[in-house]
Amino acid sequence: GTRAVLDLPPRRVGARQDSEDDAYTVQELLDHSSRAEEVEDVAGCPRCVGRVHVASSSSSFRCESDTVMFRVNRYDVANGRPVKRCDPIAPEMRLRLGISNSDVSDFDLVAEVEHSGDSYRTGHYQVVVRTDCGWERRDDSRSEYYGLKPHIKHQNVYLLVYARQEVVEARALEFERSQQGGEQERGAQEAELRRQNVAEERRQPQVDAELRREQEAASKSREVEERQAREEELRRQQLE
């Protein structure tokens, strides 16, 4: 997949770090990365007096794959040490990105990684991921189900993963078909179980009749054996 780093603009004056209204969007960060820069021509221009200022613009971001991962650069350097910025970031659920010089495509948010802590070497990471059943947060061995809308801690956004809309929809359609196939299989199993139950109910009278006949035959056999035993005992007594 495509990877890119999103730099934070200079701090907004009066912005609140705990306010979602003051949050940056991914598109704003992309625009900031592609902003025009004023460069001074240090060599000067032989036909002009003084220096010449030339406006140059970095190339616009393009995604050349079905997925793209953005990493937010949250660290400034102060006194030779990295200092973390906690500017809130509210990522778009759907983002339109260039895929060539003239074509664009829609990309859907599928995962987001959050980092809490002062240093990228320490702290704690959590992931909010879009599954076939909805959004959920995974924190080590624990998970929390959100449903159709993710709950994002905007101050901790560190990584964002987007996938082409067609890919996401194709996966959702595949999951729906697999669910339908599973339901059809369960329906067939239930129908077979009902058929077996009906057949068993129909055969039960025959089974009961056979059981009664066997019990009657066993009872008659015992009566015959008992009568023979009594007659044998009577003959023995007569001989004595």
Side-chain angles (χ1 to χ4, degrees):
T2 305
R3 299 184 180 183
V5 177
L6 300 176
D7 293 322
L8 292 173
R11 295 181 184 273
R12 292 173 173 172
V13 178
R16 294 172 48 195
Q17 292 189 359
D18 60 348
S19 174
E20 185 178 345
D21 294 335
D22 294 325
Y24 292 106
T25 64
V26 176
Q27 188 60 58
E28 288 177 328
L29 297 181
L30 283 172
D31 293 341
H32 171 71
S33 300
S34 302
R35 69 191 184 283
E37 297 179 351
E38 192 175 71
V39 181
E40 186 179 67
D41 183 4
V42 295
C45 176
R47 297 182 181 180
C48 304
V49 179
R51 302 290 185 177
V52 175
H53 291 78
V54 180
S56 65
S57 176
S58 58
S59 59
S60 298
F61 174 80
R62 295 185 182 88
C63 182
E64 300 177 352
S65 60
D66 289 337
T67 60
V68 56
M69 182 177 70
F70 296 110
R71 178 176 66 83
V72 181
N73 181 18
R74 284 193 171 277
Y75 293 91
D76 290 337
V77 178
N79 299 324
R81 300 181 60 183
V83 178
K84 184 178 180 180
R85 291 178 55 178
C86 295
D87 304 55
I89 297 174
E92 298 91 331
M93 295 299 296
R94 178 164 294 171
L95 189 65
R96 176 156 291 191
L97 299 174
I99 57 176
S100 65
N101 290 332
S102 58
D103 294 332
V104 296
S105 184
D106 289 334
F107 286 73
D108 289 346
L109 182 67
V110 294
E112 179 254 350
V113 178
E114 298 173 358
H115 173 262
S116 57
D118 296 331
S119 171
Y120 61 89
R121 295 181 179 177
T122 61
H124 185 65
Y125 291 89
Q126 298 181 25
V127 61
V128 179
V129 62
R130 179 177 179 176
T131 69
D132 293 326
C133 299
W135 286 92
E136 63 181 59
R137 175 179 295 273
R138 296 177 181 175
D139 181 4
D140 293 337
S141 60
R142 301 183 300 273
S143 63
E144 181 180 0
Y145 179 71
Y146 289 148
L148 298 178
K149 184 179 180 181
H151 295 182
I152 295 175
K153 299 177 182 178
H154 301 90
Q155 293 174 286
N156 294 337
V157 173
Y158 180 62
L159 295 176
L160 296 166
V161 180
Y162 284 83
R164 197 187 295 265
Q165 180 185 359
E166 293 86 346
V167 175
V168 176
E169 292 179 346
R171 173 165 178 165
L173 181 59
E174 181 181 356
F175 175 74
E176 182 179 353
R177 288 175 176 173
S178 67
Q179 290 292 99
Q180 293 176 351
E183 292 176 357
Q184 292 176 356
E185 182 177 356
R186 287 192 297 271
Q189 293 174 351
E190 292 175 356
E192 176 62 20
L193 182 59
R194 288 194 298 270
R195 186 191 65 78
Q196 294 177 0
N197 291 337
V198 170
E200 184 68 21
E201 291 176 356
R202 291 177 178 175
R203 197 170 67 88
Q204 191 61 39
Q206 300 176 357
V207 173
D208 293 341
E210 292 177 359
L211 182 59
R212 285 194 299 270
R213 287 194 295 270
E214 291 177 357
Q215 291 174 346
E216 292 173 356
S219 178
K220 291 180 180 180
S221 177
R222 286 194 299 270
E223 291 176 357
V224 171
E225 291 177 354
E226 291 175 356
R227 185 174 63 253
Q228 291 176 349
R230 287 194 300 270
E231 292 175 351
E232 182 67 25
E233 178 65 18
L234 181 61
R235 285 195 296 271
R236 187 183 63 77
Q237 292 177 356
Q238 291 174 350
L239 292 175
E240 293 178 354

